[in-house]
Amino acid sequence: MEPSARFRSGDVVQRSGIYRVHHYAHRAPHTVIILAGTVLPRCKRCGERVQFVPIVAGEPIEQDADLVIAKRAAS
């Protein structure tokens, strides 16, 4: 992932991964996991000024061709 890229609310995430969220003047940056296809949200406090910066690309474990996900038995 290109860490120089910045995304804003309303953008659609193309690559799943860990993103650093930068708010405008009310909260320190923090990280979130965002899945591909997610429309980035607005912030309740800083609205559309929030920005998302990719840190590490990753895919949901269910999409890995080499891993077998066991199904849990119903209780």
Side-chain angles (χ1 to χ4, degrees), residues 31-54:
T31 56
V32 295
I33 298 170
I34 305 175
L35 300 180
T38 300
V39 176
L40 295 174
R42 295 171 39 101
C43 171
K44 287 190 239 181
R45 294 197 52 200
C46 61
E48 293 180 359
R49 290 182 171 181
V50 65
Q51 296 183 0
F52 302 82
V53 178

Side-chain angles (χ1 to χ4, degrees), residues 21-30 43-44 46 49-51:
V21 182
H22 295 270
H23 293 271
Y24 180 76
H26 75 89
R27 183 175 177 184
H30 60 96
C43 171
K44 287 190 239 181
C46 61
R49 290 182 171 181
V50 65
Q51 296 183 0

